[in-house]
Amino acid sequence: MKRFFPVNKRLSLLLASLLLVLGGCGVSTINVSGNYPSPLVSKLPVTLGVYYTDEFRNFQFTEVNDNTGKDEIIVKSGPSQVQLFNTVLPSVFSKVVVIDDISSIDSYPGLDLVFVPVIEEFQLGLPNKTKLDVYEVWIKYNMRLSTATGDNIADWVMTAYGKSPEESFQSIDSGVNNAAVVALRDLAASFTLGFADIPEVNEWLGKKSLEK
């Protein structure tokens, strides 16, 4: 005997089957991509060398499925973060030099400062886990600044947060990507407006101006 289910129940069964199929799919890889506008600020009279470690350039975060313990989502944000700093730094400093080999710093004459950004923590919030109607990305950075001779000037922590509303036609990939881009823009604004206010940086800038 054939069994006929109400429309709502048939839809529920179909959705459950679809989720089961999707649950068996492989890991989803998200390559963060976005545009980062150049901030309009007065440039500091400083020649800055910036070094991106391999870990920073290739940074990725893996979200694990709570039920299976398997990798669920891989967020690759390294290239986009390099893009962000390559946009922001030239707007803040009079000259920026990308250092390829930190052990050969002597081959980069004329540097006033050396900047090395490091990602210490990355958190991802998914609506199905947080029970909120937004995708969230939170990143904790350790910013390291030294002289060209290796003397430490400042070492401070910065955090960036971004969220993207969960929408009916927005995929998980788009939601995570949009939240990550918002977080990076948040970082750009905080860095641009707050760099000179870091006490150790402010002190160094004051000494530099007296040397002129």
Side-chain angles (χ1 to χ4, degrees), residues 98-110:
V98 176
I99 300 172
D100 296 320
D101 185 359
I102 196 69
S103 64
S104 301
I105 196 71
D106 292 341
S107 61
Y108 299 89

Side-chain angles (χ1 to χ4, degrees), residues 44-138:
L44 297 173
V46 171
T47 297
L48 180 81
V50 56
Y51 176 66
Y52 305 118
T53 64
D54 289 339
E55 291 80 7
F56 188 86
R57 288 181 177 275
N58 303 305
F59 183 83
Q60 64 180 41
F61 169 82
T62 302
E63 178 76 9
V64 177
N65 187 297
D66 293 336
N67 296 321
T68 65
K70 296 182 179 180
D71 293 351
E72 182 178 11
I73 298 175
I74 296 177
V75 183
K76 296 185 175 182
S77 63
S80 198
Q81 294 187 99
V82 171
Q83 176 191 350
L84 169 74
F85 278 107
N86 282 345
T87 300
V88 170
L89 296 179
S91 298
V92 178
F93 305 96
S94 59
K95 184 177 181 180
V96 176
V97 178
V98 176
I99 300 172
D100 296 320
D101 185 359
I102 196 69
S103 64
S104 301
I105 196 71
D106 292 341
S107 61
Y108 299 89
L111 297 181
D112 295 310
L113 298 173
V114 176
F115 173 62
V116 182
V118 176
I119 300 173
E120 289 195 340
E121 191 174 350
F122 188 105
Q123 293 182 10
L124 176 63
L126 300 174
N128 66 327
K129 293 187 178 183
T130 63
K131 307 306 179 184
L132 301 175
D133 59 353
V134 293
Y135 295 92
E136 298 175 292
V137 168
W138 182 85

Side-chain angles (χ1 to χ4, degrees), residues 16-61:
S17 299
L18 179 60
L19 291 175
L20 183 62
V21 172
L22 292 176
C25 294
V27 61
S28 175
T29 300
I30 303 172
N31 294 295
V32 176
S33 176
N35 296 316
Y36 308 106
S38 299
L40 299 176
V41 295
S42 299
K43 294 185 179 183
L44 297 173
V46 171
T47 297
L48 180 81
V50 56
Y51 176 66
Y52 305 118
T53 64
D54 289 339
E55 291 80 7
F56 188 86
R57 288 181 177 275
N58 303 305
F59 183 83
Q60 64 180 41
F61 169 82

